């Protein structure tokens, strides 16, 4: 059982002016506050309460009201490469059919069979001539947002070794040392130390002979 729609909700629209006359059109522009969870959780989304600009066209057809429109807003998130905050403009297109009340609970026209019933499966019933755009808006915005947002296309990200940002320091690097050469270098250093000790001992022996 659906909750009764509140006409004071800015995302609820009234279609009574169309008068159920097929071909009748109505264009609306409205700025609303973004509802909660308008985006991809933990990735990017439109902050709750921020402005969302709606341009909507309502068209009366035999089955109901066809709603077509575009939503524009600013989304905020985090770059997946450098982890810096980002802000991105998003434009989401949507289209939804809302059926007249003389359809059944599944949105089918009463008495519709065969192909007509299949075509009507995706329709949402109007309630007292009104519809709630929020579910449609949420689906459209989620589809329009990037799954892996980046602050810019050429973002260099972070150094995998120390985590330093590479955008501000493109020459940042670490000298790569082959562990095999490192082992040989350690052996050479130890041999060098032994040779130095032997040379010191030899020089001490010569000095003793000279003193005698």
């Amino acid at each position: 059982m659906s909750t009764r729609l509140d006409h004071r909700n800015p995302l609820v629209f009234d279609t009574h002016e169309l008068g159920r006359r097929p071909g009748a059109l109505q264009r609306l522009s409205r700025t609303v506050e973004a509802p909660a969870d308008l985006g991809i959780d933990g990735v990017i989304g439109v902050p709750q309460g921020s402005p969302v600009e709606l341009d909507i066209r309502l068209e009366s057809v035999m089955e109901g009201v066809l709603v077509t429109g575009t939503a524009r807003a600013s989304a905020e998130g985090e770059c997946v490469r450098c982890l810096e905050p980002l802000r991105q403009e998003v434009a989401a297109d949507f289209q939804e059919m809302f059926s007249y009340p003389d359809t059944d609970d599944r949105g089918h026209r009463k008495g519709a069979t065969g192909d007509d019933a299949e075509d009507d499966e995706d329709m949402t019933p109007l309630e007292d001539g009104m519809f709630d755009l929020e579910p449609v808006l949420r689906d459209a915005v989620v589809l329009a947002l990037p799954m892996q947002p980046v602050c810019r296309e050429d973002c260099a990200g972070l150094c995998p070794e120390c985590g330093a940002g590479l955008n501000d320091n493109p020459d940042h690097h670490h000298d790569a040392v082959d562990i095999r050469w490192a082992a040989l270098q350690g052996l050479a250093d130890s041999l060098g130390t032994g040779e130095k000790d032997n040379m010191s001992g030899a020089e001490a022996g010569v000095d003793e002979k000279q003193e005698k």
Side-chain angles (χ1 to χ4, degrees), residues 74-86:
S74 294
E76 297 179 2
E78 185 179 83
C79 177
V80 296
R81 297 180 188 171
C82 67
L83 307 183
E84 289 294 325
L86 61 82

Side-chain angles (χ1 to χ4, degrees), residues 166-178:
L166 301 180
N167 289 326
D168 298 330
N169 188 8
D171 296 327
H172 174 85
H173 70 281
H174 296 270
D175 293 330
V177 178
D178 192 314

Side-chain angles (χ1 to χ4, degrees), residues 4-64:
R4 187 175 179 84
L5 298 180
D6 184 354
H7 69 277
R8 295 169 297 182
N9 184 336
L11 285 172
V12 170
F13 292 80
D14 193 329
T15 68
H16 283 102
E17 289 189 17
L18 296 176
R20 295 191 65 164
R21 300 184 305 273
L25 293 174
Q26 184 179 8
R27 297 182 185 275
L28 300 170
S29 294
R30 183 180 297 182
T31 299
V32 301
E33 294 185 355
D37 304 321
L38 191 60
I40 305 171
D41 187 33
V43 180
I44 188 172
V46 179
Q48 183 176 359
S50 62
V52 179
E53 297 179 2
L54 300 174
D55 291 316
I56 301 176
R57 177 178 125 158
L58 310 181
E59 181 180 0
S60 179
V61 295
M62 291 296 296
E63 297 85 356

Side-chain angles (χ1 to χ4, degrees), residues 116-180:
D116 288 339
E118 292 179 2
D119 292 340
D120 291 346
E121 285 183 356
D122 296 330
M123 293 197 299
T124 303
L126 290 166
E127 183 179 317
D128 296 331
M130 298 184 294
F131 65 88
D132 185 1
L133 190 66
E134 183 173 334
V136 178
L137 175 63
R138 181 172 285 105
D139 290 345
V141 170
V142 169
L143 290 175
L145 291 172
M147 293 296 295
Q148 294 187 319
V150 291
C151 59
R152 65 190 198 200
E153 290 299 324
D154 61 346
C155 176
L158 302 175
C159 173
E161 295 189 33
C162 68
L166 301 180
N167 289 326
D168 298 330
N169 188 8
D171 296 327
H172 174 85
H173 70 281
H174 296 270
D175 293 330
V177 178
D178 192 314
I179 58 174
R180 295 169 298 178

